[in-house]
Amino acid sequence: MVEVVTTPATTVSETLAADALIELTERGLDYLVVTDRAGGVRGVVVPDDFVVSPSAAGVPLREQVTRAGSAAELISLGRRVPPLVRDMLHRGRTAAEITAVRSTITDAVQRRALSLVLERHPDLREDEITWLALGSNGRREPVLSSDVDSAAVLADSVDTPARVAAYRRAFAEVDGLLGRVGLHVDEHHATPGAASFARTREQWRRAARRWLADPLSGQALIMTSLLLDARPILGDPGLPVVVEVFGDIRSHPRTFVLMLQESLARRARLRTMRDVLVRRGGTFDIKTHALAPVVDMARCAALSVRSAELSTRARLAAAAGSPILDPDQAHTLIEVFEVLQRIRLSYQLAQLERGDPATDVLSMHRLSPLDRSLIAQAVREVAAIQRRVANLAQLLDPEEWVRSPHPA
């Protein structure tokens, strides 16, 4: 390989074509080396290999977003996202591919929005900012209803409260522009315009260590979960606050088990007691009662094997065979997640076509009998795996949860 490409080379193995294309375009690479599970070289792919691939569907729009010359142009381009999602869905692309493409466009919109805002603030510098995608976009899984969760790591050279405040005001302007583009800015204020989500690098590091050492304090578990899904989309790709601090969570087994127990508190179910009391049996929150439990289990399972993967699908694959998930259960959750995400996307597109906002609360009578059956079966599968993991959590010593049969 040394005679063919420059080393060290970036490699991919058993990944979606859309993910490989994202890796190439987002990092500006000339090629990717494709390997098998054992690490053997199987070939090399270059950007031209994707010219006629359906996985390249979002590339032209992403490039137009990158070159948008004004806020008005960016807003206009944002309206093209739902039709792109609809086209990919109708062409039979997987939910994983569709959300990965949407994620690349959302990244580009955030980067361009930040640049346009900073043009009005010459005293603020882009090279002092690392912008983090959190939540579903951090995992490359956003759908049409997804909030844009994000955070900012400011360089330690931003060393006065006045300068930090100036950046936060600019970030609030970015939030406003993203809303006009059509992205849902997080209503719980998980955005850099809020003080908790825009800190200097050292402030983030100190806070993360505090949350790791005392997970029951304040919003420690929530903030930890958010940062574990963090993905830099502008600035320093290393993100020491995650790599250095949360990468060592296996040295804190009690904290890990608390995170696992918290993730299991949100159980998969078709109806809640509240639904019964108010006689609301005709709706189903597909995110809260089906998808979020899978996402939460995948995050903890990946942590237990030291996996740096971010997507739910990749985390489950990495954790297959760990104390938390056996291979069959991991495979089941991967299939369930894909099925539910596809139903979710189809339903939200139908909502938009009716002129309604995209939501995660499904009216069951609007679903086909097949989709209703698939949802019921998926919820049963997830609930059964949750029960097994919860039972094991009561029996095993915390140290057992953070022992991996092999490095991930």
Side-chain angles (χ1 to χ4, degrees):
M1 186 175 71
V2 176
E3 297 176 356
V4 179
V5 299
T6 304
T7 57
T10 302
T11 63
V12 293
S13 176
E14 295 187 0
T15 190
L16 295 171
D19 290 338
L21 180 59
I22 288 168
E23 188 78 2
L24 282 166
T25 56
E26 292 288 290
R27 298 180 60 180
L29 302 175
D30 295 323
Y31 57 82
L32 283 172
V33 176
V34 181
T35 65
D36 56 26
R37 283 190 174 185
V41 177
R42 308 299 297 174
V44 174
V45 293
V46 298
D48 286 349
D49 292 327
F50 296 88
V51 169
V52 296
S53 169
S55 303
V59 172
L61 179 55
R62 173 184 172 277
E63 291 305 310
Q64 288 177 298
V65 166
T66 300
R67 296 192 299 269
S70 66
E73 186 178 355
L74 190 62
I75 293 168
S76 177
L77 290 169
R79 296 177 184 148
R80 300 185 190 178
V81 173
L84 173 64
V85 171
R86 182 184 304 110
D87 182 65
M88 293 187 71
L89 193 66
H90 289 168
R91 289 176 181 271
R93 309 315 301 170
T94 67
E97 289 177 302
I98 295 169
T99 56
V101 169
R102 173 166 166 72
S103 175
T104 65
I105 296 170
T106 301
D107 291 351
V109 168
Q110 290 185 85
R111 284 192 293 262
R112 191 62 191 132
L114 178 62
S115 294
L116 289 170
V117 167
L118 291 182
E119 286 175 4
R120 302 198 300 268
H121 299 278
D123 54 320
L124 305 181
R125 293 166 37 195
E126 189 172 291
D127 63 0
E128 289 187 315
I129 303 167
T130 295
W131 194 273
L132 310 179
L134 307 177
S136 60
N137 194 50
R139 300 188 303 272
R140 293 200 180 279
E141 296 164 354
V143 294
L144 297 170
S145 64
S146 296
D147 289 337
V148 180
D149 299 335
S150 51
V153 181
L154 299 173
D156 289 328
S157 56
V158 183
D159 54 3
T160 67
R163 291 204 71 216
V164 171
Y167 274 105
R168 287 174 180 158
R169 288 192 295 270
F171 297 155
E173 294 179 34
V174 174
D175 292 344
L177 178 53
L178 293 178
R180 296 197 299 276
V181 170
L183 298 177
H184 303 274
V185 178
D186 182 71
E187 63 181 17
H188 301 295
H189 306 295
T191 71
S196 297
F197 291 88
R199 313 173 192 234
T200 65
R201 189 176 305 279
E202 183 55 34
Q203 288 171 341
W204 275 115
R205 187 178 290 111
R206 287 200 303 267
R209 287 174 176 156
R210 186 170 65 251
W211 297 328
L212 195 56
D214 187 6
L216 295 179
S217 65
Q219 301 291 307
L221 287 176
I222 294 174
M223 293 296 290
T224 298
S225 294
L226 281 170
L227 285 182
L228 285 169
D229 290 349
R231 178 172 55 83
I233 64 173
L234 179 146
D236 179 7
L239 188 60
V241 69
V242 172
V243 176
E244 294 178 7
V245 181
F246 290 116
D248 192 38
I249 196 168
R250 287 160 54 101
S251 299
H252 299 77
R254 175 177 169 272
T255 299
F256 175 81
V257 171
L258 284 172
M259 286 187 61
L260 179 63
Q261 292 172 342
E262 179 74 12
S263 73
L264 294 170
R266 183 159 47 180
R267 293 300 179 95
R269 64 190 70 188
L270 283 173
R271 299 179 71 191
T272 65
M273 183 57 67
R274 177 180 174 82
D275 293 332
V276 174
L277 291 175
V278 301
R279 298 182 179 180
R280 186 182 62 196
T283 61
F284 176 65
D285 189 328
I286 194 170
K287 176 183 176 181
T288 301
H289 298 313
L291 286 161
V294 179
V295 169
D296 292 342
M297 276 195 293
R299 183 185 299 113
C300 285
L303 273 178
S304 75
V305 295
R306 284 197 179 97
S307 172
E309 298 287 357
L310 289 175
S311 78
T312 299
R313 179 178 177 274
R315 282 171 165 173
L316 291 169
S322 69
I324 292 183
L325 293 174
D326 66 38
D328 288 342
Q329 290 168 335
H331 181 70
T332 295
L333 290 178
I334 290 171
E335 288 190 339
V336 161
F337 190 75
E338 171 65 26
V339 167
L340 291 174
Q341 281 284 73
R342 190 169 183 83
I343 292 173
R344 188 184 186 194
L345 283 166
S346 298
Y347 189 89
Q348 291 180 354
L349 283 170
Q351 286 180 308
L352 295 180
E353 289 171 357
R354 294 193 302 267
D356 298 328
T359 177
D360 290 315
V361 179
L362 315 185
S363 295
M364 299 299 279
H365 73 275
R366 290 187 179 275
L367 298 174
S368 69
L370 175 60
D371 283 347
R372 288 197 295 270
S373 175
L374 288 171
I375 288 174
Q377 179 62 29
V379 169
R380 285 193 292 269
E381 296 278 8
V382 176
I385 295 172
Q386 282 187 300
R387 285 194 296 271
R388 177 226 174 233
V389 174
N391 289 336
L392 284 175
Q394 299 298 319
L395 298 174
L396 290 182
D397 184 274
E399 295 286 349
E400 292 294 322
W401 289 101
V402 292
R403 290 179 187 167
S404 171
H406 59 274

